[in-house]
Amino acid sequence: MSEYSPEHAVSGVTDPFLQVRLLRLMRILGQNDESICDAMGDLLAQVSTCTETQSNAGNAVLYETVLTIVDTKSASGLRVLAVNILGRFLLSNDKNIRYVALTSLQRLVQTDNAAVQRHRATIVECLRQTDTSVNRKALELCFALVNEANIRVMMKELQRFLQTCQPELREQCASGIFLSAERFSPSKRWHIDTIMETLITAGESVRDDAVSHLIHLIRGASELHAYIVQKLYKAVREDIGQQPLVQVASWCIGEYGELLLLGSCEEEEPLQVTEDEVLDVLEGILQSHISTPSTRAYTLTAIMKLSTRFKQNVDRIRRVVSIYGSCHDVELQQRAVEYNALFKKYDHMRAAILEKMPVEEKSAAGDILGEERRTPVESLPQSQPSSVQTLSQVTDLLGLLEESPVNVITPVPAADLNVTQNLPNGGSLLDLLDETPVPALPPLVVYNNHGLNVEFSFLRPPTNPALLVITSCATNSSDSDMTDFQMQAAVPKSVQLQLQAPSGSIVKASGIGAVTQCIRVLNPQKVPLKMRLRFSFSQSGNSAQEICEIGNFPVGTWQ
């Protein structure tokens, strides 16, 4: 109740330290109490509109006002006012203030998306700043703002940023573009064009599954094959430095090389090429010192496939393949030897073996990378079996372990499994689990990164040494909850795996609570156990995926 005292003013702001303390007190008092929030509304609005913004003292008071509005049940008008204050912060010349504003807007993007969207242009402008920390926060916020309405505009801005961003941000940017394009693409052609452009720009800074993901999309877009193969051929004819793009181009030329010769694409300028010109490009990739072993493997297979697409250069293809029969690269040598055998011993079967890859039918488990609108196993009709055996037929679903095919599993309720899966000895998998297991092994931390900690504990039933019961416990040490949490697993084909439904889908922040899940592994041959896990979740408005491979299981888990 005291009067104004100029000795406590800082840069024209009356006693900012006292104001900040009062605002913090109001934030505590207003939590979970709408009547107090209503009483504070006019005062918070007055502070928001009357505080000087040209000094750090004023900005500190405004920032505390924003936090008070956000953390209490304030009216929607006040929340919009808070977002607008943060939008003004983004215009500041002080990079620290911009960083604070971007961090705060990330907290609001889920609850007040429309208000944050109004400042999208300013947020995108932050991508052009020279500070890496500001760029990273702006990039995360941009991906959180992407939706069906602005996907085209936002992707252009993000592609532009990808061309000039720091190397440490390139992989994050490329991955975000892939996920956003998969989620909100307006058309299949736009989706494919976006990923190809990203591969050209990002080069090696793309996630491991980018190549297989794009190949899957291309395979399912039969009406675009002529357009795609012509565009990719032009790209690798000019530059073979971007290895992921070269791998996709080699695969496409091998599958649809005859479309290049036809030059029938109406959407691109007519391209007249000969069989020799196509083979010259592919041989150049094989012989280039910058081509990786994986790229050479894609290219050699493409050349072999062209032996059934091209009619005039079969002898040339045979000579190229035979050269690599003595290659020092064992993988490439093995492919060449097997392809030579096709020419010599099984030439009558060559055309059938090298047919185009068929479009995959939608499996019961769905395709993790290729289906944008996939149906969860849990929601399938009861008449459609969802057995471990059915799921294990999905080949290399996570792009995994050295052995192929692998058994891949996604969480399904136990009720969907206990009737359909029969074991070699005639019993059901769940019949083996009736025995009470006895703990005998120490726990193992299988993943600990970005706040997510996953620990496995092991139990072995004394009456069935081939069975291992794993209890997964996921905790979150970060400051924000992880929602839509899901774990998927894959094991070698000699091992059977059943992943039961988790205890929940939200991993609370600050280590409060945990999500547990039971994994049952049947390993009758007692082979050393390997497993790869994929975790997907949303946090602070961003979708995330984490993958880890476990090869250090205690010996007692499989012997």
Tab-separated table of all heavy atoms in Angstrom, residues 449-499:
chain	number	residue	atom	x	y	z
A	449	ASN	N	18.723	-41.936	-22.631
A	449	ASN	CA	19.093	-40.785	-23.455
A	449	ASN	C	17.906	-39.839	-23.550
A	449	ASN	O	16.746	-40.277	-23.539
A	449	ASN	CB	19.509	-41.248	-24.860
A	449	ASN	CG	20.345	-40.202	-25.572
A	449	ASN	OD1	20.709	-39.182	-24.978
A	449	ASN	ND2	20.642	-40.438	-26.836
A	450	HIS	N	18.191	-38.540	-23.630
A	450	HIS	CA	17.156	-37.510	-23.784
A	450	HIS	C	16.083	-37.605	-22.707
A	450	HIS	O	14.898	-37.344	-22.961
A	450	HIS	CB	16.510	-37.597	-25.165
A	450	HIS	CG	17.481	-37.490	-26.304
A	450	HIS	ND1	18.315	-36.400	-26.473
A	450	HIS	CD2	17.781	-38.347	-27.322
A	450	HIS	CE1	19.056	-36.576	-27.543
A	450	HIS	NE2	18.771	-37.757	-28.078
A	451	GLY	N	16.470	-38.028	-21.523
A	451	GLY	CA	15.522	-38.104	-20.419
A	451	GLY	C	14.781	-39.417	-20.319
A	451	GLY	O	14.151	-39.701	-19.298
A	452	LEU	N	14.810	-40.244	-21.362
A	452	LEU	CA	14.098	-41.529	-21.357
A	452	LEU	C	15.033	-42.621	-20.856
A	452	LEU	O	16.130	-42.816	-21.396
A	452	LEU	CB	13.599	-41.861	-22.754
A	452	LEU	CG	12.900	-43.221	-22.920
A	452	LEU	CD1	11.645	-43.295	-22.057
A	452	LEU	CD2	12.561	-43.484	-24.383
A	453	ASN	N	14.617	-43.321	-19.818
A	453	ASN	CA	15.388	-44.435	-19.264
A	453	ASN	C	14.529	-45.692	-19.317
A	453	ASN	O	13.389	-45.688	-18.825
A	453	ASN	CB	15.803	-44.124	-17.820
A	453	ASN	CG	16.612	-45.252	-17.207
A	453	ASN	OD1	16.051	-46.250	-16.755
A	453	ASN	ND2	17.927	-45.101	-17.161
A	454	VAL	N	15.053	-46.740	-19.939
A	454	VAL	CA	14.327	-48.010	-20.040
A	454	VAL	C	15.195	-49.100	-19.430
A	454	VAL	O	16.347	-49.288	-19.838
A	454	VAL	CB	13.990	-48.355	-21.501
A	454	VAL	CG1	13.246	-49.683	-21.566
A	454	VAL	CG2	13.173	-47.243	-22.141
A	455	GLU	N	14.631	-49.799	-18.465
A	455	GLU	CA	15.369	-50.854	-17.768
A	455	GLU	C	14.624	-52.173	-17.906
A	455	GLU	O	13.402	-52.229	-17.755
A	455	GLU	CB	15.534	-50.483	-16.291
A	455	GLU	CG	16.352	-51.481	-15.496
A	455	GLU	CD	16.497	-51.062	-14.049
A	455	GLU	OE1	15.621	-51.451	-13.236
A	455	GLU	OE2	17.460	-50.353	-13.731
A	456	PHE	N	15.370	-53.238	-18.202
A	456	PHE	CA	14.813	-54.589	-18.305
A	456	PHE	C	15.142	-55.369	-17.032
A	456	PHE	O	16.291	-55.367	-16.568
A	456	PHE	CB	15.411	-55.337	-19.496
A	456	PHE	CG	14.786	-55.013	-20.822
A	456	PHE	CD1	13.784	-54.074	-20.926
A	456	PHE	CD2	15.194	-55.663	-21.971
A	456	PHE	CE1	13.212	-53.785	-22.143
A	456	PHE	CE2	14.621	-55.389	-23.202
A	456	PHE	CZ	13.631	-54.445	-23.282
A	457	SER	N	14.154	-56.049	-16.489
A	457	SER	CA	14.391	-57.044	-15.449
A	457	SER	C	13.966	-58.400	-15.996
A	457	SER	O	13.043	-58.492	-16.808
A	457	SER	CB	13.614	-56.699	-14.175
A	457	SER	OG	12.235	-56.574	-14.441
A	458	PHE	N	14.635	-59.473	-15.541
A	458	PHE	CA	14.470	-60.776	-16.170
A	458	PHE	C	13.988	-61.813	-15.165
A	458	PHE	O	14.429	-61.835	-14.014
A	458	PHE	CB	15.805	-61.245	-16.777
A	458	PHE	CG	16.438	-60.235	-17.674
A	458	PHE	CD1	17.410	-59.373	-17.198
A	458	PHE	CD2	16.062	-60.135	-18.996
A	458	PHE	CE1	18.005	-58.438	-18.025
A	458	PHE	CE2	16.656	-59.203	-19.837
A	458	PHE	CZ	17.628	-58.348	-19.346
A	459	LEU	N	13.125	-62.711	-15.653
A	459	LEU	CA	12.642	-63.842	-14.862
A	459	LEU	C	12.689	-65.095	-15.733
A	459	LEU	O	12.358	-65.033	-16.924
A	459	LEU	CB	11.215	-63.610	-14.375
A	459	LEU	CG	10.974	-62.382	-13.473
A	459	LEU	CD1	9.492	-62.224	-13.201
A	459	LEU	CD2	11.738	-62.519	-12.175
A	460	ARG	N	13.109	-66.225	-15.143
A	460	ARG	CA	13.162	-67.496	-15.873
A	460	ARG	C	12.311	-68.531	-15.164
A	460	ARG	O	12.551	-68.849	-13.990
A	460	ARG	CB	14.615	-68.008	-15.937
A	460	ARG	CG	15.577	-67.130	-16.714
A	460	ARG	CD	15.322	-67.170	-18.216
A	460	ARG	NE	15.559	-68.481	-18.781
A	460	ARG	CZ	16.738	-68.900	-19.231
A	460	ARG	NH1	17.794	-68.109	-19.154
A	460	ARG	NH2	16.862	-70.100	-19.751
A	461	PRO	N	11.280	-69.092	-15.830
A	461	PRO	CA	10.493	-70.154	-15.213
A	461	PRO	C	11.355	-71.391	-15.011
A	461	PRO	O	12.006	-71.853	-15.959
A	461	PRO	CB	9.376	-70.429	-16.226
A	461	PRO	CG	9.415	-69.272	-17.171
A	461	PRO	CD	10.814	-68.772	-17.170
A	462	PRO	N	11.388	-71.934	-13.842
A	462	PRO	CA	12.258	-73.098	-13.606
A	462	PRO	C	11.865	-74.329	-14.415
A	462	PRO	O	12.711	-75.165	-14.714
A	462	PRO	CB	12.115	-73.347	-12.093
A	462	PRO	CG	10.825	-72.695	-11.718
A	462	PRO	CD	10.654	-71.526	-12.630
A	463	THR	N	10.595	-74.443	-14.794
A	463	THR	CA	10.150	-75.631	-15.531
A	463	THR	C	10.319	-75.498	-17.031
A	463	THR	O	10.119	-76.464	-17.763
A	463	THR	CB	8.673	-75.916	-15.218
A	463	THR	OG1	7.898	-74.755	-15.581
A	463	THR	CG2	8.480	-76.222	-13.748
A	464	ASN	N	10.673	-74.302	-17.518
A	464	ASN	CA	10.818	-74.106	-18.959
A	464	ASN	C	12.027	-73.206	-19.211
A	464	ASN	O	11.911	-71.986	-19.346
A	464	ASN	CB	9.557	-73.481	-19.557
A	464	ASN	CG	9.644	-73.392	-21.073
A	464	ASN	OD1	10.573	-73.925	-21.687
A	464	ASN	ND2	8.692	-72.715	-21.680
A	465	PRO	N	13.224	-73.746	-19.319
A	465	PRO	CA	14.438	-72.926	-19.471
A	465	PRO	C	14.504	-72.177	-20.791
A	465	PRO	O	15.308	-71.269	-20.937
A	465	PRO	CB	15.570	-73.960	-19.368
A	465	PRO	CG	14.931	-75.274	-19.716
A	465	PRO	CD	13.519	-75.192	-19.241
A	466	ALA	N	13.668	-72.540	-21.777
A	466	ALA	CA	13.690	-71.832	-23.064
A	466	ALA	C	12.940	-70.507	-23.005
A	466	ALA	O	13.031	-69.703	-23.928
A	466	ALA	CB	13.087	-72.714	-24.159
A	467	LEU	N	12.207	-70.279	-21.930
A	467	LEU	CA	11.359	-69.090	-21.836
A	467	LEU	C	12.026	-68.022	-20.968
A	467	LEU	O	12.559	-68.317	-19.899
A	467	LEU	CB	10.002	-69.466	-21.235
A	467	LEU	CG	8.995	-68.321	-21.089
A	467	LEU	CD1	8.592	-67.772	-22.440
A	467	LEU	CD2	7.768	-68.787	-20.311
A	468	LEU	N	11.991	-66.796	-21.436
A	468	LEU	CA	12.492	-65.646	-20.692
A	468	LEU	C	11.367	-64.611	-20.615
A	468	LEU	O	10.798	-64.234	-21.637
A	468	LEU	CB	13.716	-65.038	-21.385
A	468	LEU	CG	14.248	-63.724	-20.793
A	468	LEU	CD1	14.817	-63.966	-19.400
A	468	LEU	CD2	15.300	-63.102	-21.710
A	469	VAL	N	11.060	-64.181	-19.393
A	469	VAL	CA	10.036	-63.148	-19.184
A	469	VAL	C	10.753	-61.852	-18.816
A	469	VAL	O	11.455	-61.789	-17.807
A	469	VAL	CB	9.045	-63.552	-18.076
A	469	VAL	CG1	7.987	-62.466	-17.893
A	469	VAL	CG2	8.388	-64.880	-18.419
A	470	ILE	N	10.596	-60.838	-19.669
A	470	ILE	CA	11.253	-59.540	-19.467
A	470	ILE	C	10.198	-58.521	-19.073
A	470	ILE	O	9.149	-58.424	-19.711
A	470	ILE	CB	11.964	-59.074	-20.744
A	470	ILE	CG1	12.971	-60.118	-21.220
A	470	ILE	CG2	12.639	-57.727	-20.535
A	470	ILE	CD1	13.596	-59.789	-22.569
A	471	THR	N	10.482	-57.776	-18.015
A	471	THR	CA	9.620	-56.655	-17.635
A	471	THR	C	10.355	-55.361	-17.948
A	471	THR	O	11.415	-55.092	-17.394
A	471	THR	CB	9.248	-56.701	-16.153
A	471	THR	OG1	8.572	-57.931	-15.884
A	471	THR	CG2	8.345	-55.528	-15.788
A	472	SER	N	9.789	-54.587	-18.876
A	472	SER	CA	10.373	-53.301	-19.263
A	472	SER	C	9.782	-52.199	-18.396
A	472	SER	O	8.561	-52.133	-18.208
A	472	SER	CB	10.088	-53.019	-20.737
A	472	SER	OG	10.377	-51.683	-21.064
A	473	CYS	N	10.635	-51.329	-17.891
A	473	CYS	CA	10.196	-50.213	-17.047
A	473	CYS	C	10.764	-48.915	-17.645
A	473	CYS	O	11.977	-48.708	-17.659
A	473	CYS	CB	10.672	-50.403	-15.607
A	473	CYS	SG	10.188	-49.062	-14.505
A	474	ALA	N	9.882	-48.058	-18.154
A	474	ALA	CA	10.292	-46.797	-18.786
A	474	ALA	C	9.991	-45.631	-17.859
A	474	ALA	O	8.858	-45.487	-17.379
A	474	ALA	CB	9.573	-46.610	-20.115
A	475	THR	N	10.997	-44.797	-17.594
A	475	THR	CA	10.817	-43.596	-16.768
A	475	THR	C	11.330	-42.385	-17.540
A	475	THR	O	12.078	-42.509	-18.504
A	475	THR	CB	11.568	-43.716	-15.437
A	475	THR	OG1	12.962	-43.969	-15.698
A	475	THR	CG2	11.010	-44.847	-14.593
A	476	ASN	N	10.932	-41.214	-17.078
A	476	ASN	CA	11.222	-39.964	-17.772
A	476	ASN	C	11.789	-38.956	-16.786
A	476	ASN	O	11.090	-38.491	-15.892
A	476	ASN	CB	9.927	-39.433	-18.419
A	476	ASN	CG	10.091	-38.070	-19.044
A	476	ASN	OD1	11.205	-37.607	-19.271
A	476	ASN	ND2	8.980	-37.423	-19.325
A	477	SER	N	13.062	-38.597	-16.957
A	477	SER	CA	13.709	-37.651	-16.043
A	477	SER	C	13.688	-36.220	-16.566
A	477	SER	O	14.239	-35.329	-15.932
A	477	SER	CB	15.162	-38.079	-15.804
A	477	SER	OG	15.892	-38.083	-17.021
A	478	SER	N	13.072	-35.990	-17.738
A	478	SER	CA	13.030	-34.633	-18.289
A	478	SER	C	11.943	-33.814	-17.593
A	478	SER	O	11.242	-34.301	-16.703
A	478	SER	CB	12.778	-34.680	-19.798
A	478	SER	OG	11.481	-35.187	-20.059
A	479	ASP	N	11.772	-32.574	-18.038
A	479	ASP	CA	10.835	-31.655	-17.380
A	479	ASP	C	9.430	-31.715	-17.951
A	479	ASP	O	8.524	-31.060	-17.425
A	479	ASP	CB	11.357	-30.208	-17.490
A	479	ASP	CG	12.675	-30.022	-16.768
A	479	ASP	OD1	12.897	-30.718	-15.742
A	479	ASP	OD2	13.480	-29.197	-17.213
A	480	SER	N	9.196	-32.445	-19.034
A	480	SER	CA	7.858	-32.502	-19.630
A	480	SER	C	7.463	-33.954	-19.885
A	480	SER	O	8.309	-34.815	-20.125
A	480	SER	CB	7.820	-31.710	-20.944
A	480	SER	OG	8.821	-32.158	-21.829
A	481	ASP	N	6.152	-34.213	-19.834
A	481	ASP	CA	5.635	-35.568	-20.011
A	481	ASP	C	5.879	-36.066	-21.430
A	481	ASP	O	5.943	-35.291	-22.395
A	481	ASP	CB	4.133	-35.607	-19.731
A	481	ASP	CG	3.818	-35.343	-18.267
A	481	ASP	OD1	4.760	-35.341	-17.456
A	481	ASP	OD2	2.633	-35.125	-17.950
A	482	MET	N	6.022	-37.387	-21.552
A	482	MET	CA	6.076	-38.042	-22.854
A	482	MET	C	4.739	-38.728	-23.078
A	482	MET	O	4.368	-39.642	-22.334
A	482	MET	CB	7.208	-39.074	-22.903
A	482	MET	CG	8.596	-38.481	-22.757
A	482	MET	SD	9.891	-39.757	-22.732
A	482	MET	CE	11.365	-38.739	-22.590
A	483	THR	N	3.990	-38.291	-24.079
A	483	THR	CA	2.668	-38.851	-24.361
A	483	THR	C	2.740	-39.768	-25.571
A	483	THR	O	3.705	-39.752	-26.334
A	483	THR	CB	1.652	-37.731	-24.608
A	483	THR	OG1	2.109	-36.930	-25.719
A	483	THR	CG2	1.529	-36.824	-23.382
A	484	ASP	N	1.666	-40.562	-25.756
A	484	ASP	CA	1.579	-41.518	-26.871
A	484	ASP	C	2.814	-42.415	-26.929
A	484	ASP	O	3.321	-42.732	-28.019
A	484	ASP	CB	1.416	-40.781	-28.204
A	484	ASP	CG	0.173	-39.921	-28.245
A	484	ASP	OD1	-0.862	-40.345	-27.693
A	484	ASP	OD2	0.244	-38.814	-28.796
A	485	PHE	N	3.297	-42.806	-25.757
A	485	PHE	CA	4.510	-43.636	-25.697
A	485	PHE	C	4.211	-45.041	-26.201
A	485	PHE	O	3.217	-45.662	-25.816
A	485	PHE	CB	5.024	-43.691	-24.255
A	485	PHE	CG	6.261	-44.528	-24.087
A	485	PHE	CD1	7.513	-44.008	-24.395
A	485	PHE	CD2	6.180	-45.839	-23.650
A	485	PHE	CE1	8.657	-44.768	-24.248
A	485	PHE	CE2	7.320	-46.603	-23.508
A	485	PHE	CZ	8.557	-46.071	-23.804
A	486	GLN	N	5.078	-45.539	-27.063
A	486	GLN	CA	4.909	-46.883	-27.621
A	486	GLN	C	6.271	-47.528	-27.806
A	486	GLN	O	7.225	-46.874	-28.234
A	486	GLN	CB	4.172	-46.834	-28.961
A	486	GLN	CG	3.821	-48.216	-29.508
A	486	GLN	CD	3.093	-48.134	-30.839
A	486	GLN	OE1	3.341	-47.230	-31.617
A	486	GLN	NE2	2.215	-49.066	-31.110
A	487	MET	N	6.357	-48.793	-27.478
A	487	MET	CA	7.591	-49.547	-27.680
A	487	MET	C	7.316	-50.691	-28.638
A	487	MET	O	6.304	-51.388	-28.517
A	487	MET	CB	8.107	-50.099	-26.342
A	487	MET	CG	9.391	-50.913	-26.484
A	487	MET	SD	10.075	-51.461	-24.901
A	487	MET	CE	8.870	-52.717	-24.442
A	488	GLN	N	8.220	-50.896	-29.602
A	488	GLN	CA	8.141	-52.013	-30.531
A	488	GLN	C	9.470	-52.752	-30.493
A	488	GLN	O	10.505	-52.166	-30.164
A	488	GLN	CB	7.841	-51.502	-31.945
A	488	GLN	CG	6.473	-50.828	-32.041
A	488	GLN	CD	6.318	-50.024	-33.312
A	488	GLN	OE1	7.190	-49.253	-33.659
A	488	GLN	NE2	5.210	-50.192	-33.999
A	489	ALA	N	9.420	-54.043	-30.814
A	489	ALA	CA	10.611	-54.870	-30.658
A	489	ALA	C	10.754	-55.833	-31.819
A	489	ALA	O	9.771	-56.218	-32.455
A	489	ALA	CB	10.535	-55.654	-29.342
A	490	ALA	N	12.000	-56.221	-32.088
A	490	ALA	CA	12.292	-57.204	-33.126
A	490	ALA	C	13.407	-58.116	-32.642
A	490	ALA	O	14.324	-57.676	-31.950
A	490	ALA	CB	12.699	-56.523	-34.424
A	491	VAL	N	13.310	-59.397	-33.006
A	491	VAL	CA	14.309	-60.393	-32.629
A	491	VAL	C	14.627	-61.238	-33.862
A	491	VAL	O	13.880	-61.228	-34.843
A	491	VAL	CB	13.809	-61.291	-31.477
A	491	VAL	CG1	13.682	-60.510	-30.192
A	491	VAL	CG2	12.474	-61.940	-31.841
A	492	PRO	N	15.740	-62.014	-33.851
A	492	PRO	CA	16.035	-62.899	-34.982
A	492	PRO	C	14.941	-63.936	-35.201
A	492	PRO	O	14.146	-64.229	-34.306
A	492	PRO	CB	17.362	-63.557	-34.568
A	492	PRO	CG	17.975	-62.600	-33.598
A	492	PRO	CD	16.837	-61.984	-32.852
A	493	LYS	N	14.917	-64.514	-36.406
A	493	LYS	CA	13.822	-65.418	-36.778
A	493	LYS	C	13.816	-66.704	-35.956
A	493	LYS	O	12.787	-67.365	-35.872
A	493	LYS	CB	13.921	-65.757	-38.261
A	493	LYS	CG	15.185	-66.500	-38.648
A	493	LYS	CD	15.205	-66.782	-40.144
A	493	LYS	CE	16.458	-67.545	-40.542
A	493	LYS	NZ	16.492	-67.821	-41.993
A	494	SER	N	14.937	-67.068	-35.354
A	494	SER	CA	14.979	-68.300	-34.563
A	494	SER	C	14.370	-68.121	-33.175
A	494	SER	O	14.268	-69.088	-32.424
A	494	SER	CB	16.434	-68.769	-34.427
A	494	SER	OG	17.223	-67.758	-33.810
A	495	VAL	N	13.976	-66.903	-32.850
A	495	VAL	CA	13.419	-66.598	-31.533
A	495	VAL	C	11.977	-66.133	-31.707
A	495	VAL	O	11.658	-65.405	-32.639
A	495	VAL	CB	14.248	-65.500	-30.820
A	495	VAL	CG1	13.662	-65.164	-29.457
A	495	VAL	CG2	15.698	-65.933	-30.697
A	496	GLN	N	11.089	-66.585	-30.799
A	496	GLN	CA	9.704	-66.114	-30.810
A	496	GLN	C	9.519	-65.086	-29.707
A	496	GLN	O	10.074	-65.221	-28.610
A	496	GLN	CB	8.737	-67.280	-30.610
A	496	GLN	CG	8.666	-68.210	-31.815
A	496	GLN	CD	7.644	-69.311	-31.592
A	496	GLN	OE1	7.615	-69.939	-30.545
A	496	GLN	NE2	6.802	-69.548	-32.578
A	497	LEU	N	8.730	-64.066	-30.019
A	497	LEU	CA	8.580	-62.950	-29.094
A	497	LEU	C	7.121	-62.524	-29.017
A	497	LEU	O	6.427	-62.471	-30.033
A	497	LEU	CB	9.455	-61.776	-29.559
A	497	LEU	CG	9.473	-60.505	-28.705
A	497	LEU	CD1	10.862	-59.872	-28.760
A	497	LEU	CD2	8.456	-59.496	-29.211
A	498	GLN	N	6.667	-62.255	-27.795
A	498	GLN	CA	5.317	-61.741	-27.570
A	498	GLN	C	5.417	-60.498	-26.692
A	498	GLN	O	5.956	-60.531	-25.591
A	498	GLN	CB	4.435	-62.781	-26.892
A	498	GLN	CG	3.038	-62.271	-26.558
A	498	GLN	CD	2.268	-63.265	-25.713
A	498	GLN	OE1	2.583	-64.440	-25.710
A	498	GLN	NE2	1.277	-62.790	-24.998
A	499	LEU	N	4.923	-59.376	-27.222
A	499	LEU	CA	4.975	-58.101	-26.513
A	499	LEU	C	3.566	-57.747	-26.072
A	499	LEU	O	2.692	-57.476	-26.894
A	499	LEU	CB	5.545	-57.014	-27.436
A	499	LEU	CG	5.785	-55.633	-26.862
A	499	LEU	CD1	6.797	-55.695	-25.724
A	499	LEU	CD2	6.298	-54.701	-27.951
